[in-house]
Amino acid sequence: MSRGSNAGFDRHITIFSPEGRLYQVEYAFKAISQSGLTSVGVRGADSVVVVTQKKVPDKLLDSSTVTNMFHLTPRIGCVMTGHNADSRSQVHRARVEAGEWKYKFGYDITADVLCRRLADISQVYTQNAEMRPLGCCMILVAIDPQFGPVLYKCDPAGYYCGFRATAVGAKQTEANSYLEKKLKKKPELSHDRAVQLAISCLSSVLSLDFKPTELEVGVVTKDKPKFRTLTEAEVEVHLVAIAERE
Amino acid sequence: MLGEAEPQWLSEEVKTGTTIIAIQFNGGVVLGSDSRVSAGESVVNRVMNKLSPLHDKIYCALSGSAADAQTIAEMVNYQLDVHSMEIGEDPQVRSAATLVKNISYKYKEELSAHLIVAGWDRKEGGQVFATLKGLLTRQPFAVGGSGSSYVYGFVDAEYRKGMGKKECQQFVINTLSLAMNRDGSSGGVAYLVTIDEHGTEENVILGNDLPTFFDQ
């Protein structure tokens, strides 16, 4: 009854397979791991942190022009994991959506609303035959005026959710288990502890001792609610603190 | 009385009558405006701030039709918000002025507003741009609005290059005060915005604190 009517197209465009799966969406998730990078986000008591690897594969590349951290509004930042070009497209769309919201409604968009908007856009791609889903995943961070520190993630399936901590990318399963273990007792994380937890998570699942040039760290804190990326010197301070604790 | 016509202010367009001025000094700009909004002969708002922010260090002064001017300012504010995110730094004053100019020119038949754009950026320091009727020109200072006609002589005679911040602020206050005294569509209080490398400062000078001249 349900066999054969798709003629094999269910793997090529976003229509349902006989088992009820959307193969293109699943392939989009695989595309995220293709980049080989992993990113981690951790929400603390009064800050939110996102960390990602900075891999500069080519010796001729100018590493100061390579980044996966982006400002969406002065107060909302994000880290993108996956296909580079798709990431930039989604970031641009997010910036325009945030700007439009402020223009139309007269106040700054909040991270959860922006995340929902991007997830809704991603969902459209899972229903349209002529467009493919984007092969990237966005983790948004902000200090929400009502709810304080927030961490949101939206993926190619159009699913979005708020998290206490999350990981995306090649090693996301291992990273998520690490974070689950560390956050099981629901500790109150200070800003420094949150940064160090995120960095240790990456170190542990990738079995790498990071140098400050191999990491990008983005933070928002209650005292300084504007999203910013840490300088190499600041990252070094945290790396030293982690090493001393071990 | 039979057949009484409706009051003028119901049918007259809301204009910002206005005197606006912007001056560049060494290290920044000072913008000033009066605060009267009139509809015909009725004062609809006597304390309107006509200095509208386009970005942290770029402001514009509104004149002409109140709605047209506000709308242009809000549109450019939105465009600059997205633009500054995309370039990753504060936008140039020139960019803001160009955005205003493009809207003013494209819709020049439908709109009736004149915005003076002034601000500070890292590349060129303090700058003042006039965007009347869709032209774009950088000037050391610019005046606009109905009240400006009464003070062209004053500003032309009294402006000197290389004025400091306090001198500029006083110059702006004097100009506004003179214009508000003579122009029926300008009045109320004087609003001042001073923008330089260190930040943006907003001030109000209330009616009785304004400088007085020969007739008082």
Side-chain angles (χ1 to χ4, degrees), chain A residues 204-245:
Chain A
S204 156
V205 303
L206 297 168
S207 313
L208 272 179
D209 263 326
F210 285 112
K211 291 204 280 284
T213 47
E214 293 167 347
L215 274 181
E216 279 191 282
V217 181
V219 305
V220 281
T221 63
K222 271 200 186 151
D223 325 314
K224 285 202 197 151
K226 290 203 169 169
F227 178 73
R228 62 189 194 91
T229 45
L230 299 185
T231 61
E232 273 183 34
E234 291 169 304
V235 175
E236 178 71 39
V237 168
H238 288 291
L239 289 172
V240 164
I242 295 174
E244 279 179 1
R245 211 176 306 125

Side-chain angles (χ1 to χ4, degrees), chain A residues 71-74 92 95-96 99-100 102-103, chain B residues 56 71 74-75 77-78 81-82 85-87:
Chain A
H71 289 248
L72 301 180
T73 73
H92 177 72
R95 287 172 171 160
V96 173
E100 251 185 44
K102 177 150 187 213
Y103 175 63
Chain B
D56 298 338
T71 305
E74 283 169 17
M75 273 201 246
N77 177 303
Y78 153 55
D81 271 347
V82 179
M85 282 291 114
E86 292 281 291
I87 60 176

